Amino acid sequence: VITGLGVVSPIGVGKDAYARALREGVSGIDVITLFDPRHLSTKFAGEVKDFVPEKILQNAEVLRFTRERRILLANAAARLALQDAGLAEKLPDGRRAAVIVGSGVHPVIADMGQLMSSGIYTGLFDDPDLRPEKFRASTGQADGYENHDYPVINRINQGALSIAREYGITGRCYTIVSA
């Protein structure tokens, strides 16, 4: 059962802006602005350009732990979905809830040195600090989740785990990746 919809996409933030853009045939594809794409063969992508985390995530715990863009995008979508469903920001029984995140991108980057020197990491995640330990609290790892020491940006479930932490959800936690 879908009780609420939270959309954070290149064509609109919020279900009304998203639906309007869909009806009008708006494209979310434009020149890359989050990092310098000179060294890439493609210079365009679908970026969420009108995203201001503090606007949607007022008083959110996740803002104290990370500035990683994909985690903030996931948390913003969750906040919007809960608002759309008319649910409280903290669920009364987190054991009876689950987090399922759908993502159209999975950043798998094997060479962390190249990633940092190219500026892509800083541009994508608005965060020049690559210490893995700083993400443990924001993804629930500090509370006993197992750490497999994967590279930070390769942990596709971080957004879902941070949503679970933010809303006290202790049920299932999944990320479905389409690309």
Side-chain angles (χ1 to χ4, degrees):
V1 174
I2 298 174
T3 56
L5 185 62
V7 180
V8 180
S9 84
I11 63 170
V13 175
K15 71 175 187 175
D16 295 335
Y18 179 74
R20 185 172 40 258
L22 281 177
R23 284 191 301 273
E24 295 172 2
V26 173
S27 172
I29 306 302
D30 200 352
V31 175
I32 294 172
T33 61
L34 292 173
F35 62 88
D36 182 357
R38 279 185 290 196
H39 62 286
L40 300 175
S41 58
T42 301
K43 312 285 189 264
F44 54 90
E47 295 177 338
V48 182
K49 293 188 177 184
D50 56 351
F51 179 62
V52 179
E54 296 77 12
K55 187 175 179 181
I56 298 171
L57 297 171
Q58 295 172 352
N59 303 315
E61 183 180 353
V62 70
L63 288 174
R64 293 193 326 242
F65 290 110
T66 188
R67 297 299 305 162
E68 186 171 345
R69 187 171 169 84
R70 67 190 178 112
I71 291 176
L72 297 177
L73 290 166
N75 275 268
R79 172 78 56 98
L80 293 171
L82 285 172
Q83 289 171 351
D84 185 47
L87 297 173
E89 290 184 13
K90 291 290 183 187
L91 301 177
D93 186 357
R95 296 171 297 162
R96 297 189 60 182
V99 177
I100 302 173
V101 172
S103 175
V105 66
H106 172 101
V108 178
I109 300 171
D111 185 344
M112 299 299 278
Q114 179 185 6
L115 176 69
M116 289 303 289
S117 66
S118 69
I120 294 174
Y121 178 86
T122 302
L124 286 177
F125 304 123
D126 191 26
D127 189 349
D129 186 355
L130 198 58
R131 294 174 300 113
E133 62 272 10
K134 76 176 205 159
F135 294 102
R136 291 192 179 118
S138 67
T139 60
Q141 294 173 20
D143 293 336
Y145 284 88
E146 193 171 327
N147 176 17
H148 295 283
D149 292 324
Y150 295 146
V152 170
I153 59 167
N154 209 13
R155 300 182 60 85
I156 63 171
N157 213 33
Q158 275 188 314
L161 287 169
S162 68
I163 292 167
R165 179 182 175 94
E166 185 73 34
Y167 297 102
I169 297 171
T170 56
R172 299 287 183 176
C173 193
Y174 298 111
T175 298
I176 300 166
V177 179
S178 64

